[in-house]
Amino acid sequence: MPKIKSYVPSWLNEPAPGHKLFAPSTDDPTLPNPQAFSNRTKLGPRRTIARRGTEVFVAVGKQIRWGNLVHLKDSWESKQSKSIFGSRFKKENSNGSFVIFESRFKKEGSDGSFELYDEEAESNHPQNGAASEGYRVIKTPVADEIRQLVMSPNEDYLAVLTSHTVHICILPDSSHLTAPDATPFRPKFWTLGPTTHVTSRSAVSSAIWHPLGVNGSSLVTVTEDSVVRVWELSAADRWSFDRPTLAIDLKKLADGTYLDQDFSASTSTTNTGFSPDSFDMEAVSACFGDRRSGGWSPMTLWVAMKGGDVYALCPLLPSKWSPPPKLVPALSVSVVAKVAATEDDAETSPEAKRLAQQQLDWMADLDGQEPRVIDGLPGEPFTEVYTRPSRPGAVPKLQGPFYMELAPEPQQGDDADLTDILVIGEKISTSDLMFGEDVDLEADEDDDGLSLSVICLLTVSGRVQIYLDIDGVQAQWLPKKSARSDAYTLDSEDDFPSLLSFQTLDTLTPAEMSAPDNWPVFSTDATSRYSFFVTQPTGITFVSLTPWVFRLEAELQAESEAGSKFRIDLLVKANGSTREKVYTQKREQGSLAASVAIRDPDLGYFILSASYQAAVAVFFDAPEDEYTPTIRQASPSPAYDDEEDSKPLTMWDPRPYFHASGALDAGLHLPQLIDNLKTGRRKPLMQQEVRLSAATLEVFADSHRVVSADIHPLNEAVAELFRKCEALQAELREQIGKTNEVRHRVEHISGDDVEDDEQPVSDDAHVRNRLGQVRSRQEELAKRMQRLKGKLGKATSRELSDYEKAWMEELRALESNVLGTDEAVKAPSSSKAKAVPERLEVIKKLKDDLAAQIARLQKPGEAEEEEPPSSPAPNSYKVPLEIKKAKYAQVRTLLDRESALVDAVKSRLERINVG
């Protein structure tokens, strides 16, 4: 949820030049009066603000006003800074006195010299008028109040809509609008459909630029009689503005059974007969999915009817269209997979097989084309232009009305009427696109999101209904008349598509619904396509779907089915969409125009709207990105947790800009009444004394009625101004209190808060004291961590690993073999190694034998006596002395090695017993 930083800035308020963008025009009698709005007979959306980068176009009455917000802001702030620091100065005279003189600044000439000039006189120069302030008036050929401004995707066309007419403005470059000329600018205007969109025909509900149009030049208009027209505009061809390239009457298409029927709109203006579809199919709004969406969403037109029904046309394309690079390959993969699935499934209905075959024919026609390559916008890649496939046909099947599953209880009366529709298309599935390939396609940031389309509906009562397109709208056509076996039937299951109701939000209170010009509308956000704004006559509400969109996508993509019901229950019961009313105004101030979200490094992140008197803006904290440098927050010190709050103190809370009531500036009707009395039949009464008579009573009654009508709004305006002044005093006291608290904090840090009789403490002492407290706290935490580690090690009883268990078995076997324990543990058998006790006995025996031999060698006489009788005589053979010495040394070496081995075995057995 974005945090509100501030409201309307000073450079959009009076007397700044930015205020001229939204100020009412005094010479235009067509401007509505907010107090007398009930006299207007036509209700509809009010989208009177369009943007092109940092430039805005604002419709006021019959004229359009252009302004560069960055220029307006910089020029006003520069002017304010100069007025503060250089408006008046004191000059000291020779006698020591001071005089005040007006500011004069030095201006550098062409020759390098400087001259003094007056800033106020320079700003009022005829050549430095509105154009130098980033403001310009655009003249239009419209004959009625402008209701909507719709900017084209490439920002070179501007659709200007009244209640019944549509005009296309060829937008000039910004350099032409900033030229040093204060006169109104007259760009090139084209009237769209001079015989189609006229006052004698049905009113225009929506005008949408097709997201797949070539260079953003394809416009789709939807009228209240549910007629959809596709216009392919070209500034070089004037006939492209006269007739649409495709016109579809949805009432005819709803009753159609074959593709060969005529579904074009009727050109007759005399056919005004009764039809039930005139009430059930009264279109109020239409929209496409975003160009970045996947599947069939960018070419699906969603139409909302006033009664609550929703229809879809897919695919609706101009004769020449340019898809994004990933769209055609992704559609080809999905169509081929669908055809293969229908052929392998024996239970597939004939209707589903026919639709799959139609999609395959449409894709085959598209794949057989050689696209024409044209240059895109500066800095963007080239664009491929395709021709609309002729098979199966140009007119798609009308899908709907959609059945709303699990929808809430419908409202009664006019409160259930729809006013707007917003569709957030599904994301492009790059995994399906690169299935079977060795290289993965890099996903863009725009590919993140939900793999389902989200449809949002808005009612007159301000209720936002959020639906999910679970089945997915795909391309469908009616069968051809020659295909008798595949004839289209109204009882088919595919003729009853459905949308799953996910959530319902209320954005208006019952008291706010009674506004005479109540027509809520949607506005997209500049930070995320899963958040939007709802603009009502009395305020603006922010709605975000991000709390559940990505969690739902994770559940849809989960491969494991274990616990899916539990997780889905948590998703449903968890926090859903977030909503917050970011701006509120009184009904007396008039209706608000549809808000426009702007995000720019020079301006910040804010929404811009307008009432009939002034601008409305709400600035938010921008998300952390390239515009906002990341600031590393220092961790709070535990020693100062009790003394200071870790959060910074807010000096002031943002408040909306106060606009005084228009009744204070409006003229009175009493002077007009006096003039009428002086020239009317009651003229003699004005020249004589007051006498009690019927004529005098009539004059007093009329005067009382007029004076009461004039005084009542003045009393309300003065009372409101008085209450605002009292509130301002309270806010000022609160701000002074917060400022005083900040002052105490600063004095506490700097050491200036000590009393007179106390010894002042330097900053170095404060820092050293705090550093000592931090170190002591760190040592205490380290000791506590060591104690916890010891307790945790003792309390932990984890299972032994397989290697530890094998090592224990080996030790037990070795113990049983060496010490001869009673445990029947058998060590792993080895063909090359003997048991340890046997080896020990052999070593002892060899030691005894070798010791006896050594003794015999040292004492030959004694050795001969000890020889058994059967031994041969020593004189039978002679051994040299050198050989005897070598053998002796070899025996000593073997004895040492055996002794070392025995000692090592003993020490190892002792360590095992101790362990």
Side-chain angles (χ1 to χ4, degrees):
M1 186 69 64
K3 181 182 178 181
I4 299 176
K5 293 174 54 179
S6 61
Y7 289 90
V8 185
S10 59
W11 48 273
L12 287 179
N13 285 323
E14 198 174 4
H19 177 72
K20 301 177 183 178
L21 284 172
F22 310 92
S25 179
T26 57
D27 57 350
D28 193 350
T30 62
L31 286 178
N33 185 3
Q35 283 77 14
F37 192 87
S38 58
N39 297 329
R40 300 174 62 188
T41 58
K42 177 62 183 172
L43 290 176
R46 184 169 173 253
R47 305 180 184 271
T48 56
I49 302 178
R51 65 178 291 250
R52 182 176 65 175
T54 59
E55 306 171 50
V56 293
F57 298 84
V58 183
V60 180
K62 297 180 182 179
Q63 64 179 210
I64 299 176
R65 300 170 182 177
W66 169 88
N68 191 329
L69 298 181
V70 174
H71 189 89
L72 290 171
K73 176 185 177 183
D74 294 342
S75 61
W76 177 252
E77 291 179 351
S78 176
K79 185 177 180 180
Q80 290 298 107
S81 62
K82 290 180 179 179
S83 64
I84 293 174
F85 297 102
S87 60
R88 291 175 179 265
F89 296 91
K90 288 184 178 181
K91 182 179 179 181
E92 184 177 2
N93 292 334
S94 58
N95 57 0
S97 61
F98 290 86
V99 295
I100 298 177
F101 70 99
E102 296 292 338
S103 64
R104 298 292 187 269
F105 297 93
K106 288 185 177 182
K107 180 180 179 182
E108 184 177 3
S110 58
D111 56 351
S113 61
F114 290 88
E115 60 179 354
L116 298 177
Y117 78 103
D118 191 349
E119 181 188 9
E120 184 177 0
E122 184 74 14
S123 62
N124 294 331
H125 194 274
Q127 294 183 353
N128 298 328
S132 63
E133 298 174 346
Y135 164 76
R136 195 79 178 270
V137 176
I138 299 178
K139 285 292 185 180
T140 63
V142 300
D144 198 0
E145 179 196 357
I146 299 175
R147 305 295 299 276
Q148 298 186 58
L149 297 178
V150 187
M151 184 68 67
S152 65
N154 286 11
E155 300 179 342
D156 51 355
Y157 294 102
L158 180 65
V160 181
L161 279 69
T162 63
S163 59
H164 289 79
T165 61
V166 180
H167 301 267
I168 305 299
C169 175
I170 311 297
L171 290 179
D173 190 71
S174 302
S175 59
H176 297 282
L177 296 171
T178 55
D181 187 4
T183 60
F185 187 77
R186 298 179 182 272
K188 181 62 176 178
F189 273 90
W190 295 91
T191 301
L192 189 68
T195 59
T196 303
H197 296 304
V198 293
T199 55
S200 59
R201 296 292 189 93
S202 181
V204 180
S205 298
S206 297
I208 319 108
W209 293 97
H210 201 294
L212 302 182
V214 179
N215 290 332
S217 60
S218 180
L219 183 68
V220 178
T221 59
V222 182
T223 55
E224 286 185 354
D225 58 351
S226 298
V227 176
V228 178
R229 295 178 176 88
V230 181
W231 310 78
E232 299 179 47
L233 309 179
S234 175
D237 184 11
R238 59 170 298 181
W239 299 107
S240 62
F241 296 89
D242 290 346
R243 291 184 177 275
T245 58
L246 182 64
I248 306 173
D249 191 344
L250 299 185
K251 294 189 294 294
K252 295 181 180 180
L253 189 59
D255 299 331
T257 56
Y258 296 102
L259 188 61
D260 303 331
Q261 295 177 247
D262 183 17
F263 302 111
S264 60
S266 176
T267 57
S268 175
T269 60
T270 60
N271 186 12
T272 58
F274 172 78
S275 174
D277 292 337
S278 301
F279 299 93
D280 296 337
M281 299 189 69
E282 181 180 351
V284 293
S285 182
C287 71
F288 284 96
D290 193 77
R291 179 180 174 85
R292 301 168 295 178
S293 304
W296 301 92
S297 183
M299 59 187 75
T300 302
L301 178 67
W302 295 82
V303 183
M305 303 301 172
K306 183 177 181 180
D309 293 335
V310 178
Y311 294 86
L313 275 177
C314 180
L316 182 66
L317 292 170
S319 59
K320 301 292 182 181
W321 59 291
S322 59
K326 299 179 185 178
L327 183 60
V328 174
L331 286 178
S332 179
V333 171
S334 63
V335 168
V336 172
K338 183 177 180 181
V339 172
T342 54
E343 290 179 354
D344 297 339
D345 191 1
E347 298 180 356
T348 304
S349 63
E351 181 71 14
K353 292 183 178 180
R354 180 185 63 81
L355 292 177
Q357 186 62 38
Q358 285 181 337
Q359 293 182 6
L360 184 61
D361 295 341
W362 187 86
M363 186 56 65
D365 192 346
L366 188 64
D367 292 338
Q369 299 180 17
E370 186 66 26
R372 181 168 58 94
V373 179
I374 62 175
D375 295 333
L377 294 176
E380 294 186 2
F382 58 85
T383 303
E384 295 182 347
V385 179
Y386 290 85
T387 303
R388 181 177 57 207
S390 57
R391 295 180 304 167
V395 180
K397 171 188 170 184
L398 182 63
Q399 305 179 42
F402 284 81
Y403 173 70
M404 308 301 181
E405 296 183 2
L406 304 178
E409 184 178 353
Q411 295 175 310
Q412 302 296 331
D414 296 337
D415 293 342
D417 294 344
L418 297 182
T419 59
D420 203 359
I421 181 173
L422 175 66
V423 175
I424 306 173
E426 62 185 79
K427 69 173 184 179
I428 298 179
S429 179
T430 56
S431 59
D432 296 339
L433 183 60
M434 301 302 294
F435 180 75
E437 300 291 339
D438 296 335
V439 181
D440 294 335
L441 186 65
E442 294 184 0
D444 299 334
E445 294 181 358
D446 298 334
D447 296 340
D448 295 336
L450 190 61
S451 57
L452 304 175
S453 296
V454 181
I455 296 89
C456 302
L457 303 178
L458 186 60
T459 64
V460 176
S461 61
R463 173 173 292 184
V464 179
Q465 303 172 3
I466 303 173
Y467 295 93
L468 300 178
D469 185 13
I470 301 296
D471 300 329
V473 173
Q474 297 185 357
Q476 294 188 25
W477 295 266
L478 294 172
K480 292 185 178 181
K481 192 173 183 180
S482 58
R484 297 291 182 180
S485 60
D486 295 337
Y488 172 71
T489 59
L490 294 176
D491 296 333
S492 174
E493 277 184 15
D494 298 333
D495 295 324
F496 299 98
S498 62
L499 299 176
L500 179 62
S501 176
F502 187 84
Q503 193 176 11
T504 301
L505 304 173
D506 290 326
T507 59
L508 283 178
T509 61
E512 296 173 335
M513 299 179 190
S514 58
D517 53 349
N518 187 21
W519 194 275
V521 291
F522 285 120
S523 300
T524 57
D525 190 17
T527 58
S528 173
R529 65 192 191 110
Y530 288 101
S531 58
F532 52 86
F533 295 92
V534 179
T535 307
Q536 307 104 351
T538 58
I540 303 174
T541 303
F542 173 78
V543 180
S544 177
L545 312 181
T546 52
W548 58 267
V549 162
F550 297 100
R551 287 185 293 156
L552 179 58
E553 178 63 19
E555 293 297 331
L556 295 176
Q557 300 298 333
E559 299 180 356
S560 176
E561 296 295 335
S564 60
K565 182 179 179 181
F566 173 73
R567 296 196 306 271
I568 291 177
D569 289 340
L570 290 179
L571 176 64
V572 173
K573 297 177 182 178
N575 295 330
S577 305
T578 58
R579 59 178 172 179
E580 180 182 359
K581 202 154 191 175
V582 296
Y583 181 78
T584 304
Q585 77 167 6
K586 296 183 179 181
R587 290 181 296 174
E588 293 79 7
Q589 297 179 359
S591 177
L592 287 175
S595 59
V596 176
I598 301 176
R599 187 181 180 192
D600 185 78
D602 296 326
L603 299 173
Y605 170 40
F606 67 102
I607 57 173
L608 182 64
S609 181
S611 62
Y612 288 114
Q613 290 84 19
V616 173
V618 182
F619 284 78
F620 304 103
D621 279 334
E624 293 184 359
D625 56 357
E626 66 275 8
Y627 296 158
T628 304
T630 303
I631 301 176
R632 184 176 180 270
Q633 300 290 341
S635 59
S637 174
Y640 279 75
D641 283 345
D642 298 335
E643 300 179 6
E644 298 179 359
D645 190 5
S646 59
K647 297 183 180 180
L649 181 64
T650 303
M651 292 290 297
W652 56 275
D653 296 327
R655 297 183 299 273
Y657 187 81
F658 174 72
H659 293 278
S661 177
L664 297 176
D665 300 327
L668 300 178
H669 297 84
L670 184 60
Q672 183 179 359
L673 176 63
I674 296 176
D675 293 340
N676 294 337
L677 290 176
K678 289 180 179 181
T679 58
R681 60 189 181 91
R682 303 299 182 186
K683 181 179 179 180
L685 296 178
M686 305 296 295
Q687 301 176 356
Q688 61 183 2
E689 298 180 358
V690 178
R691 297 179 180 178
L692 299 180
S693 62
T696 304
L697 180 60
E698 182 181 355
V699 171
F700 272 91
D702 294 341
S703 302
H704 182 272
R705 183 170 60 253
V706 172
V707 172
S708 177
D710 288 341
I711 295 301
H712 180 69
L714 287 176
N715 289 335
E716 291 185 350
V718 172
E720 181 184 5
L721 185 59
F722 179 76
R723 290 192 297 269
K724 186 64 180 178
C725 291
E726 285 189 338
L728 186 61
Q729 292 179 359
E731 293 169 356
L732 182 59
R733 285 193 294 268
E734 181 181 359
Q735 188 171 352
I736 292 174
K738 292 183 178 180
T739 306
N740 192 26
E741 184 178 351
V742 172
R743 182 181 66 86
H744 285 305
R745 288 190 179 185
V746 173
E747 291 178 352
H748 179 72
I749 294 174
S750 61
D752 297 336
D753 59 335
V754 297
E755 300 293 340
D756 296 337
D757 55 347
E758 295 181 1
Q759 185 68 23
V761 183
S762 63
D763 294 343
D764 182 68
H766 274 290
V767 173
R768 291 181 179 277
N769 186 21
R770 184 175 181 182
L771 184 60
Q773 293 178 358
V774 170
R775 286 179 177 176
S776 61
R777 179 65 174 173
Q778 181 67 23
E779 293 176 357
E780 181 182 352
L781 290 176
K783 294 179 181 179
R784 184 179 179 185
M785 179 63 69
Q786 293 296 332
R787 292 195 299 268
L788 290 176
K789 283 185 178 180
K791 293 181 180 180
L792 185 63
K794 295 179 180 179
T796 302
S797 59
R798 60 183 181 86
E799 297 182 357
L800 298 177
S801 63
D802 295 340
Y803 293 102
E804 292 174 342
K805 292 179 180 178
W807 184 69
M808 289 183 62
E809 294 295 333
E810 182 180 357
L811 290 180
R812 290 175 183 173
L814 183 61
E815 181 182 7
S816 62
N817 292 332
V818 175
L819 302 178
T821 58
D822 297 335
E823 298 181 0
V825 181
K826 189 175 183 181
S829 61
S830 176
S831 59
K832 297 182 180 181
K834 296 181 179 180
V836 175
E838 297 177 359
R839 292 179 61 186
L840 185 60
E841 294 296 332
V842 171
I843 290 172
K844 290 181 178 180
K845 185 177 180 181
L846 289 175
K847 179 182 178 182
D848 296 339
D849 295 342
L850 292 174
Q853 293 180 11
I854 292 172
R856 286 196 303 270
L857 291 175
Q858 291 178 351
K859 298 178 180 181
E862 296 177 1
E864 290 178 358
E865 293 177 358
E866 293 178 0
E867 286 287 337
S870 60
S871 61
N875 295 329
S876 60
Y877 54 89
K878 293 181 180 180
V879 179
L881 183 61
E882 291 80 4
I883 295 175
K884 291 182 179 180
K885 291 181 179 180
K887 291 291 184 180
Y888 177 76
Q890 184 176 4
V891 170
R892 293 294 302 177
T893 302
L894 291 176
L895 288 176
D896 294 339
R897 292 177 60 183
E898 292 295 337
S899 300
L901 179 62
V902 171
D903 295 338
V905 171
K906 287 183 179 180
S907 62
R908 184 177 181 184
L909 291 177
E910 290 176 356
R911 288 196 303 271
I912 291 174
N913 291 332
V914 172

